[in-house]
PDB file of all heavy atoms in Angstrom:
ATOM      1  N   LYS A 708       0.812  -1.213   0.000  1.00 89.00           N
ATOM      2  CA  LYS A 708       0.000   0.000   0.000  1.00 89.00           C
ATOM      3  C   LYS A 708       0.843   1.259   0.000  1.00 89.00           C
ATOM      4  O   LYS A 708       0.287   2.361  -0.013  1.00 89.00           O
ATOM      5  CB  LYS A 708      -0.937   0.004   1.208  1.00 89.00           C
ATOM      6  CG  LYS A 708      -1.955  -1.121   1.212  1.00 89.00           C
ATOM      7  CD  LYS A 708      -2.871  -1.025   2.419  1.00 89.00           C
ATOM      8  CE  LYS A 708      -3.891  -2.148   2.429  1.00 89.00           C
ATOM      9  NZ  LYS A 708      -4.813  -2.042   1.275  1.00 89.00           N
ATOM     10  N   MET A 709       2.168   1.106   0.023  1.00 90.00           N
ATOM     11  CA  MET A 709       3.088   2.238   0.079  1.00 90.00           C
ATOM     12  C   MET A 709       2.708   3.191   1.207  1.00 90.00           C
ATOM     13  O   MET A 709       2.598   4.406   1.018  1.00 90.00           O
ATOM     14  CB  MET A 709       3.128   2.973  -1.260  1.00 90.00           C
ATOM     15  CG  MET A 709       3.766   2.154  -2.377  1.00 90.00           C
ATOM     16  SD  MET A 709       5.425   1.553  -1.946  1.00 90.00           S
ATOM     17  CE  MET A 709       6.266   3.078  -1.540  1.00 90.00           C
ATOM     18  N   THR A 710       2.516   2.608   2.370  1.00 96.00           N
ATOM     19  CA  THR A 710       2.061   3.366   3.526  1.00 96.00           C
ATOM     20  C   THR A 710       2.929   3.055   4.738  1.00 96.00           C
ATOM     21  O   THR A 710       3.297   1.899   4.968  1.00 96.00           O
ATOM     22  CB  THR A 710       0.592   3.042   3.844  1.00 96.00           C
ATOM     23  OG1 THR A 710      -0.218   3.345   2.700  1.00 96.00           O
ATOM     24  CG2 THR A 710       0.109   3.852   5.028  1.00 96.00           C
ATOM     25  N   VAL A 711       3.242   4.097   5.494  1.00 97.00           N
ATOM     26  CA  VAL A 711       3.971   3.972   6.748  1.00 97.00           C
ATOM     27  C   VAL A 711       3.049   4.385   7.874  1.00 97.00           C
ATOM     28  O   VAL A 711       2.267   5.334   7.734  1.00 97.00           O
ATOM     29  CB  VAL A 711       5.246   4.834   6.742  1.00 97.00           C
ATOM     30  CG1 VAL A 711       5.934   4.798   8.100  1.00 97.00           C
ATOM     31  CG2 VAL A 711       6.199   4.350   5.663  1.00 97.00           C
ATOM     32  N   PHE A 712       3.135   3.687   8.995  1.00 98.00           N
ATOM     33  CA  PHE A 712       2.270   3.947  10.130  1.00 98.00           C
ATOM     34  C   PHE A 712       3.084   4.327  11.359  1.00 98.00           C
ATOM     35  O   PHE A 712       4.249   3.964  11.493  1.00 98.00           O
ATOM     36  CB  PHE A 712       1.428   2.709  10.472  1.00 98.00           C
ATOM     37  CG  PHE A 712       0.650   2.165   9.319  1.00 98.00           C
ATOM     38  CD1 PHE A 712       1.157   1.130   8.548  1.00 98.00           C
ATOM     39  CD2 PHE A 712      -0.594   2.673   9.005  1.00 98.00           C
ATOM     40  CE1 PHE A 712       0.443   0.611   7.488  1.00 98.00           C
ATOM     41  CE2 PHE A 712      -1.324   2.167   7.942  1.00 98.00           C
ATOM     42  CZ  PHE A 712      -0.806   1.140   7.184  1.00 98.00           C
ATOM     43  N   LEU A 713       2.444   5.043  12.246  1.00 98.00           N
ATOM     44  CA  LEU A 713       2.998   5.298  13.559  1.00 98.00           C
ATOM     45  C   LEU A 713       1.916   4.955  14.576  1.00 98.00           C
ATOM     46  O   LEU A 713       0.927   5.681  14.699  1.00 98.00           O
ATOM     47  CB  LEU A 713       3.444   6.748  13.731  1.00 98.00           C
ATOM     48  CG  LEU A 713       4.126   7.061  15.066  1.00 98.00           C
ATOM     49  CD1 LEU A 713       5.476   6.341  15.151  1.00 98.00           C
ATOM     50  CD2 LEU A 713       4.309   8.562  15.254  1.00 98.00           C
ATOM     51  N   GLN A 714       2.100   3.836  15.262  1.00 98.00           N
ATOM     52  CA  GLN A 714       1.164   3.420  16.295  1.00 98.00           C
ATOM     53  C   GLN A 714       1.573   4.068  17.607  1.00 98.00           C
ATOM     54  O   GLN A 714       2.691   3.861  18.086  1.00 98.00           O
ATOM     55  CB  GLN A 714       1.164   1.895  16.440  1.00 98.00           C
ATOM     56  CG  GLN A 714       0.223   1.361  17.502  1.00 98.00           C
ATOM     57  CD  GLN A 714      -1.235   1.546  17.141  1.00 98.00           C
ATOM     58  OE1 GLN A 714      -1.609   1.395  15.983  1.00 98.00           O
ATOM     59  NE2 GLN A 714      -2.053   1.892  18.130  1.00 98.00           N
ATOM     60  N   MET A 715       0.683   4.854  18.169  1.00 98.00           N
ATOM     61  CA  MET A 715       0.955   5.591  19.391  1.00 98.00           C
ATOM     62  C   MET A 715       0.138   4.970  20.517  1.00 98.00           C
ATOM     63  O   MET A 715      -1.070   5.181  20.610  1.00 98.00           O
ATOM     64  CB  MET A 715       0.612   7.069  19.227  1.00 98.00           C
ATOM     65  CG  MET A 715       1.323   7.735  18.053  1.00 98.00           C
ATOM     66  SD  MET A 715       0.705   9.403  17.680  1.00 98.00           S
ATOM     67  CE  MET A 715       1.056  10.261  19.206  1.00 98.00           C
ATOM     68  N   ASN A 716       0.797   4.199  21.355  1.00 97.00           N
ATOM     69  CA  ASN A 716       0.157   3.607  22.517  1.00 97.00           C
ATOM     70  C   ASN A 716       0.537   4.381  23.766  1.00 97.00           C
ATOM     71  O   ASN A 716       1.646   4.887  23.881  1.00 97.00           O
ATOM     72  CB  ASN A 716       0.559   2.142  22.666  1.00 97.00           C
ATOM     73  CG  ASN A 716       0.037   1.274  21.550  1.00 97.00           C
ATOM     74  OD1 ASN A 716      -0.997   1.550  20.953  1.00 97.00           O
ATOM     75  ND2 ASN A 716       0.752   0.188  21.258  1.00 97.00           N
ATOM     76  N   SER A 717      -0.388   4.441  24.695  1.00 96.00           N
ATOM     77  CA  SER A 717      -0.187   5.179  25.944  1.00 96.00           C
ATOM     78  C   SER A 717       0.357   6.582  25.698  1.00 96.00           C
ATOM     79  O   SER A 717       1.365   6.983  26.291  1.00 96.00           O
ATOM     80  CB  SER A 717       0.756   4.403  26.870  1.00 96.00           C
ATOM     81  OG  SER A 717       0.235   3.138  27.178  1.00 96.00           O
ATOM     82  N   PRO A 718      -0.271   7.346  24.820  1.00 97.00           N
ATOM     83  CA  PRO A 718       0.231   8.695  24.565  1.00 97.00           C
ATOM     84  C   PRO A 718       0.113   9.574  25.807  1.00 97.00           C
ATOM     85  O   PRO A 718      -0.765   9.366  26.650  1.00 97.00           O
ATOM     86  CB  PRO A 718      -0.661   9.197  23.432  1.00 97.00           C
ATOM     87  CG  PRO A 718      -1.936   8.441  23.602  1.00 97.00           C
ATOM     88  CD  PRO A 718      -1.513   7.074  24.073  1.00 97.00           C
ATOM     89  N   LYS A 719       1.003  10.542  25.888  1.00 96.00           N
ATOM     90  CA  LYS A 719       1.042  11.482  26.989  1.00 96.00           C
ATOM     91  C   LYS A 719       0.758  12.891  26.485  1.00 96.00           C
ATOM     92  O   LYS A 719       0.934  13.168  25.299  1.00 96.00           O
ATOM     93  CB  LYS A 719       2.415  11.453  27.670  1.00 96.00           C
ATOM     94  CG  LYS A 719       2.865  10.081  28.145  1.00 96.00           C
ATOM     95  CD  LYS A 719       4.289  10.136  28.673  1.00 96.00           C
ATOM     96  CE  LYS A 719       4.767   8.776  29.125  1.00 96.00           C
ATOM     97  NZ  LYS A 719       6.170   8.831  29.623  1.00 96.00           N
ATOM     98  N   PRO A 720       0.326  13.789  27.368  1.00 96.00           N
ATOM     99  CA  PRO A 720       0.096  15.170  26.931  1.00 96.00           C
ATOM    100  C   PRO A 720       1.310  15.783  26.241  1.00 96.00           C
ATOM    101  O   PRO A 720       1.150  16.588  25.314  1.00 96.00           O
ATOM    102  CB  PRO A 720      -0.239  15.902  28.236  1.00 96.00           C
ATOM    103  CG  PRO A 720      -0.873  14.852  29.077  1.00 96.00           C
ATOM    104  CD  PRO A 720      -0.110  13.585  28.761  1.00 96.00           C
ATOM    105  N   GLU A 721       2.510  15.422  26.670  1.00 96.00           N
ATOM    106  CA  GLU A 721       3.712  15.957  26.045  1.00 96.00           C
ATOM    107  C   GLU A 721       3.947  15.429  24.636  1.00 96.00           C
ATOM    108  O   GLU A 721       4.856  15.894  23.945  1.00 96.00           O
ATOM    109  CB  GLU A 721       4.953  15.690  26.918  1.00 96.00           C
ATOM    110  CG  GLU A 721       5.084  14.254  27.370  1.00 96.00           C
ATOM    111  CD  GLU A 721       4.548  14.039  28.771  1.00 96.00           C
ATOM    112  OE1 GLU A 721       3.452  14.541  29.070  1.00 96.00           O
ATOM    113  OE2 GLU A 721       5.244  13.364  29.568  1.00 96.00           O
ATOM    114  N   ASP A 722       3.152  14.458  24.198  1.00 97.00           N
ATOM    115  CA  ASP A 722       3.214  13.993  22.820  1.00 97.00           C
ATOM    116  C   ASP A 722       2.418  14.889  21.881  1.00 97.00           C
ATOM    117  O   ASP A 722       2.452  14.684  20.663  1.00 97.00           O
ATOM    118  CB  ASP A 722       2.695  12.558  22.705  1.00 97.00           C
ATOM    119  CG  ASP A 722       3.561  11.555  23.441  1.00 97.00           C
ATOM    120  OD1 ASP A 722       4.806  11.683  23.386  1.00 97.00           O
ATOM    121  OD2 ASP A 722       3.001  10.635  24.068  1.00 97.00           O
ATOM    122  N   THR A 723       1.693  15.848  22.425  1.00 97.00           N
ATOM    123  CA  THR A 723       0.909  16.763  21.610  1.00 97.00           C
ATOM    124  C   THR A 723       1.821  17.552  20.679  1.00 97.00           C
ATOM    125  O   THR A 723       2.769  18.195  21.122  1.00 97.00           O
ATOM    126  CB  THR A 723       0.113  17.723  22.493  1.00 97.00           C
ATOM    127  OG1 THR A 723      -0.865  16.986  23.241  1.00 97.00           O
ATOM    128  CG2 THR A 723      -0.609  18.767  21.658  1.00 97.00           C
ATOM    129  N   ALA A 724       1.546  17.491  19.390  1.00 98.00           N
ATOM    130  CA  ALA A 724       2.377  18.159  18.392  1.00 98.00           C
ATOM    131  C   ALA A 724       1.759  17.945  17.016  1.00 98.00           C
ATOM    132  O   ALA A 724       0.806  17.178  16.860  1.00 98.00           O
ATOM    133  CB  ALA A 724       3.804  17.600  18.413  1.00 98.00           C
ATOM    134  N   VAL A 725       2.325  18.623  16.032  1.00 98.00           N
ATOM    135  CA  VAL A 725       2.028  18.317  14.645  1.00 98.00           C
ATOM    136  C   VAL A 725       3.025  17.260  14.196  1.00 98.00           C
ATOM    137  O   VAL A 725       4.235  17.444  14.347  1.00 98.00           O
ATOM    138  CB  VAL A 725       2.121  19.557  13.742  1.00 98.00           C
ATOM    139  CG1 VAL A 725       1.880  19.179  12.284  1.00 98.00           C
ATOM    140  CG2 VAL A 725       1.110  20.608  14.185  1.00 98.00           C
ATOM    141  N   TYR A 726       2.521  16.170  13.677  1.00 98.00           N
ATOM    142  CA  TYR A 726       3.367  15.060  13.251  1.00 98.00           C
ATOM    143  C   TYR A 726       3.524  15.090  11.736  1.00 98.00           C
ATOM    144  O   TYR A 726       2.541  15.209  10.998  1.00 98.00           O
ATOM    145  CB  TYR A 726       2.776  13.728  13.704  1.00 98.00           C
ATOM    146  CG  TYR A 726       2.987  13.459  15.178  1.00 98.00           C
ATOM    147  CD1 TYR A 726       2.288  14.191  16.132  1.00 98.00           C
ATOM    148  CD2 TYR A 726       3.893  12.501  15.617  1.00 98.00           C
ATOM    149  CE1 TYR A 726       2.493  13.978  17.483  1.00 98.00           C
ATOM    150  CE2 TYR A 726       4.101  12.278  16.965  1.00 98.00           C
ATOM    151  CZ  TYR A 726       3.398  13.014  17.894  1.00 98.00           C
ATOM    152  OH  TYR A 726       3.606  12.789  19.232  1.00 98.00           O
ATOM    153  N   TYR A 727       4.774  14.967  11.286  1.00 98.00           N
ATOM    154  CA  TYR A 727       5.098  15.039   9.867  1.00 98.00           C
ATOM    155  C   TYR A 727       5.712  13.737   9.383  1.00 98.00           C
ATOM    156  O   TYR A 727       6.652  13.227   9.985  1.00 98.00           O
ATOM    157  CB  TYR A 727       6.097  16.165   9.591  1.00 98.00           C
ATOM    158  CG  TYR A 727       5.592  17.549   9.918  1.00 98.00           C
ATOM    159  CD1 TYR A 727       5.778  18.094  11.187  1.00 98.00           C
ATOM    160  CD2 TYR A 727       4.946  18.315   8.961  1.00 98.00           C
ATOM    161  CE1 TYR A 727       5.327  19.360  11.495  1.00 98.00           C
ATOM    162  CE2 TYR A 727       4.498  19.586   9.258  1.00 98.00           C
ATOM    163  CZ  TYR A 727       4.691  20.108  10.520  1.00 98.00           C
ATOM    164  OH  TYR A 727       4.245  21.372  10.814  1.00 98.00           O
ATOM    165  N   CYS A 728       5.201  13.233   8.299  1.00 98.00           N
ATOM    166  CA  CYS A 728       5.809  12.103   7.621  1.00 98.00           C
ATOM    167  C   CYS A 728       6.973  12.608   6.774  1.00 98.00           C
ATOM    168  O   CYS A 728       6.875  13.671   6.149  1.00 98.00           O
ATOM    169  CB  CYS A 728       4.772  11.404   6.742  1.00 98.00           C
ATOM    170  SG  CYS A 728       5.379   9.958   5.852  1.00 98.00           S
ATOM    171  N   THR A 729       8.069  11.872   6.769  1.00 98.00           N
ATOM    172  CA  THR A 729       9.270  12.267   6.052  1.00 98.00           C
ATOM    173  C   THR A 729       9.786  11.120   5.206  1.00 98.00           C
ATOM    174  O   THR A 729       9.759   9.965   5.627  1.00 98.00           O
ATOM    175  CB  THR A 729      10.377  12.701   7.031  1.00 98.00           C
ATOM    176  OG1 THR A 729       9.899  13.769   7.852  1.00 98.00           O
ATOM    177  CG2 THR A 729      11.615  13.167   6.279  1.00 98.00           C
ATOM    178  N   ALA A 730      10.256  11.450   4.015  1.00 97.00           N
ATOM    179  CA  ALA A 730      10.894  10.482   3.136  1.00 97.00           C
ATOM    180  C   ALA A 730      12.248  11.015   2.717  1.00 97.00           C
ATOM    181  O   ALA A 730      12.346  12.134   2.202  1.00 97.00           O
ATOM    182  CB  ALA A 730      10.029  10.197   1.913  1.00 97.00           C
ATOM    183  N   TRP A 731      13.285  10.221   2.950  1.00 96.00           N
ATOM    184  CA  TRP A 731      14.634  10.586   2.510  1.00 96.00           C
ATOM    185  C   TRP A 731      14.851   9.965   1.135  1.00 96.00           C
ATOM    186  O   TRP A 731      14.851   8.742   0.991  1.00 96.00           O
ATOM    187  CB  TRP A 731      15.669  10.080   3.496  1.00 96.00           C
ATOM    188  CG  TRP A 731      15.699  10.839   4.789  1.00 96.00           C
ATOM    189  CD1 TRP A 731      16.464  11.929   5.081  1.00 96.00           C
ATOM    190  CD2 TRP A 731      14.925  10.560   5.962  1.00 96.00           C
ATOM    191  NE1 TRP A 731      16.220  12.346   6.376  1.00 96.00           N
ATOM    192  CE2 TRP A 731      15.285  11.522   6.935  1.00 96.00           C
ATOM    193  CE3 TRP A 731      13.977   9.589   6.286  1.00 96.00           C
ATOM    194  CZ2 TRP A 731      14.718  11.539   8.205  1.00 96.00           C
ATOM    195  CZ3 TRP A 731      13.417   9.611   7.554  1.00 96.00           C
ATOM    196  CH2 TRP A 731      13.782  10.576   8.490  1.00 96.00           C
ATOM    197  N   GLY A 732      15.018  10.810   0.129  1.00 94.00           N
ATOM    198  CA  GLY A 732      15.162  10.359  -1.240  1.00 94.00           C
ATOM    199  C   GLY A 732      16.595  10.360  -1.708  1.00 94.00           C
ATOM    200  O   GLY A 732      17.525  10.706  -0.970  1.00 94.00           O
ATOM    201  N   VAL A 733      16.761   9.971  -2.963  1.00 91.00           N
ATOM    202  CA  VAL A 733      18.086   9.886  -3.552  1.00 91.00           C
ATOM    203  C   VAL A 733      18.734  11.263  -3.666  1.00 91.00           C
ATOM    204  O   VAL A 733      19.914  11.436  -3.341  1.00 91.00           O
ATOM    205  CB  VAL A 733      18.021   9.211  -4.931  1.00 91.00           C
ATOM    206  CG1 VAL A 733      19.383   9.235  -5.610  1.00 91.00           C
ATOM    207  CG2 VAL A 733      17.518   7.779  -4.795  1.00 91.00           C
ATOM    208  N   ARG A 734      17.957  12.257  -4.113  1.00 91.00           N
ATOM    209  CA  ARG A 734      18.496  13.591  -4.335  1.00 91.00           C
ATOM    210  C   ARG A 734      17.917  14.658  -3.419  1.00 91.00           C
ATOM    211  O   ARG A 734      18.484  15.751  -3.302  1.00 91.00           O
ATOM    212  CB  ARG A 734      18.274  14.006  -5.794  1.00 91.00           C
ATOM    213  CG  ARG A 734      18.961  13.087  -6.800  1.00 91.00           C
ATOM    214  CD  ARG A 734      18.772  13.577  -8.218  1.00 91.00           C
ATOM    215  NE  ARG A 734      19.334  14.914  -8.413  1.00 91.00           N
ATOM    216  CZ  ARG A 734      20.617  15.170  -8.664  1.00 91.00           C
ATOM    217  NH1 ARG A 734      21.477  14.160  -8.764  1.00 91.00           N
ATOM    218  NH2 ARG A 734      21.035  16.408  -8.825  1.00 91.00           N
ATOM    219  N   GLU A 735      16.817  14.385  -2.790  1.00 95.00           N
ATOM    220  CA  GLU A 735      16.182  15.360  -1.922  1.00 95.00           C
ATOM    221  C   GLU A 735      15.281  14.663  -0.920  1.00 95.00           C
ATOM    222  O   GLU A 735      14.976  13.482  -1.045  1.00 95.00           O
ATOM    223  CB  GLU A 735      15.390  16.379  -2.741  1.00 95.00           C
ATOM    224  CG  GLU A 735      14.314  15.762  -3.605  1.00 95.00           C
ATOM    225  CD  GLU A 735      13.667  16.780  -4.526  1.00 95.00           C
ATOM    226  OE1 GLU A 735      13.403  17.909  -4.063  1.00 95.00           O
ATOM    227  OE2 GLU A 735      13.434  16.454  -5.702  1.00 95.00           O
ATOM    228  N   ASP A 736      14.850  15.418   0.078  1.00 96.00           N
ATOM    229  CA  ASP A 736      13.952  14.914   1.103  1.00 96.00           C
ATOM    230  C   ASP A 736      12.544  15.452   0.885  1.00 96.00           C
ATOM    231  O   ASP A 736      12.350  16.532   0.323  1.00 96.00           O
ATOM    232  CB  ASP A 736      14.445  15.301   2.492  1.00 96.00           C
ATOM    233  CG  ASP A 736      15.833  14.778   2.773  1.00 96.00           C
ATOM    234  OD1 ASP A 736      16.193  13.716   2.218  1.00 96.00           O
ATOM    235  OD2 ASP A 736      16.569  15.417   3.547  1.00 96.00           O
ATOM    236  N   TYR A 737      11.562  14.709   1.354  1.00 97.00           N
ATOM    237  CA  TYR A 737      10.168  15.069   1.160  1.00 97.00           C
ATOM    238  C   TYR A 737       9.442  15.090   2.502  1.00 97.00           C
ATOM    239  O   TYR A 737       9.767  14.333   3.414  1.00 97.00           O
ATOM    240  CB  TYR A 737       9.482  14.081   0.214  1.00 97.00           C
ATOM    241  CG  TYR A 737      10.188  13.928  -1.107  1.00 97.00           C
ATOM    242  CD1 TYR A 737      11.123  12.921  -1.299  1.00 97.00           C
ATOM    243  CD2 TYR A 737       9.931  14.792  -2.166  1.00 97.00           C
ATOM    244  CE1 TYR A 737      11.787  12.779  -2.509  1.00 97.00           C
ATOM    245  CE2 TYR A 737      10.592  14.658  -3.375  1.00 97.00           C
ATOM    246  CZ  TYR A 737      11.518  13.649  -3.542  1.00 97.00           C
ATOM    247  OH  TYR A 737      12.180  13.518  -4.748  1.00 97.00           O
ATOM    248  N   TRP A 738       8.455  15.966   2.589  1.00 98.00           N
ATOM    249  CA  TRP A 738       7.687  16.145   3.817  1.00 98.00           C
ATOM    250  C   TRP A 738       6.197  16.151   3.528  1.00 98.00           C
ATOM    251  O   TRP A 738       5.742  16.709   2.527  1.00 98.00           O
ATOM    252  CB  TRP A 738       8.056  17.458   4.508  1.00 98.00           C
ATOM    253  CG  TRP A 738       9.468  17.509   4.986  1.00 98.00           C
ATOM    254  CD1 TRP A 738      10.574  17.807   4.254  1.00 98.00           C
ATOM    255  CD2 TRP A 738       9.924  17.262   6.316  1.00 98.00           C
ATOM    256  NE1 TRP A 738      11.695  17.759   5.043  1.00 98.00           N
ATOM    257  CE2 TRP A 738      11.333  17.426   6.309  1.00 98.00           C
ATOM    258  CE3 TRP A 738       9.286  16.919   7.506  1.00 98.00           C
ATOM    259  CZ2 TRP A 738      12.107  17.254   7.455  1.00 98.00           C
ATOM    260  CZ3 TRP A 738      10.056  16.752   8.647  1.00 98.00           C
ATOM    261  CH2 TRP A 738      11.442  16.918   8.610  1.00 98.00           C
ATOM    262  N   GLY A 739       5.441  15.542   4.417  1.00 98.00           N
ATOM    263  CA  GLY A 739       4.004  15.673   4.364  1.00 98.00           C
ATOM    264  C   GLY A 739       3.577  17.017   4.936  1.00 98.00           C
ATOM    265  O   GLY A 739       4.396  17.781   5.454  1.00 98.00           O
ATOM    266  N   GLN A 740       2.299  17.322   4.854  1.00 97.00           N
ATOM    267  CA  GLN A 740       1.795  18.594   5.350  1.00 97.00           C
ATOM    268  C   GLN A 740       1.575  18.605   6.854  1.00 97.00           C
ATOM    269  O   GLN A 740       1.389  19.669   7.443  1.00 97.00           O
ATOM    270  CB  GLN A 740       0.493  18.961   4.635  1.00 97.00           C
ATOM    271  CG  GLN A 740       0.687  19.218   3.147  1.00 97.00           C
ATOM    272  CD  GLN A 740      -0.575  19.695   2.461  1.00 97.00           C
ATOM    273  OE1 GLN A 740      -1.602  19.931   3.112  1.00 97.00           O
ATOM    274  NE2 GLN A 740      -0.517  19.844   1.150  1.00 97.00           N
TER     275      GLN A 740
END
């Protein structure tokens, strides 16, 4: 499915943030919104 997951168990208030998916490519890096 060309999909990466992040399973967050027992999250804490300090985990509050904007989470970004990142891909390291051959010539450049890519970021989700």
Side-chain angles (χ1 to χ4, degrees):
K708 297 182 180 295
M709 292 306 304
T710 302
V711 175
F712 306 95
L713 184 67
Q714 180 69 38
M715 304 170 61
N716 293 331
S717 300
K719 305 174 181 179
E721 50 263 45
D722 295 320
T723 294
V725 177
Y726 284 71
Y727 297 90
C728 181
T729 303
W731 287 269
V733 175
R734 299 183 60 83
E735 59 187 318
D736 301 330
Y737 305 94
W738 296 82
Q740 295 185 5

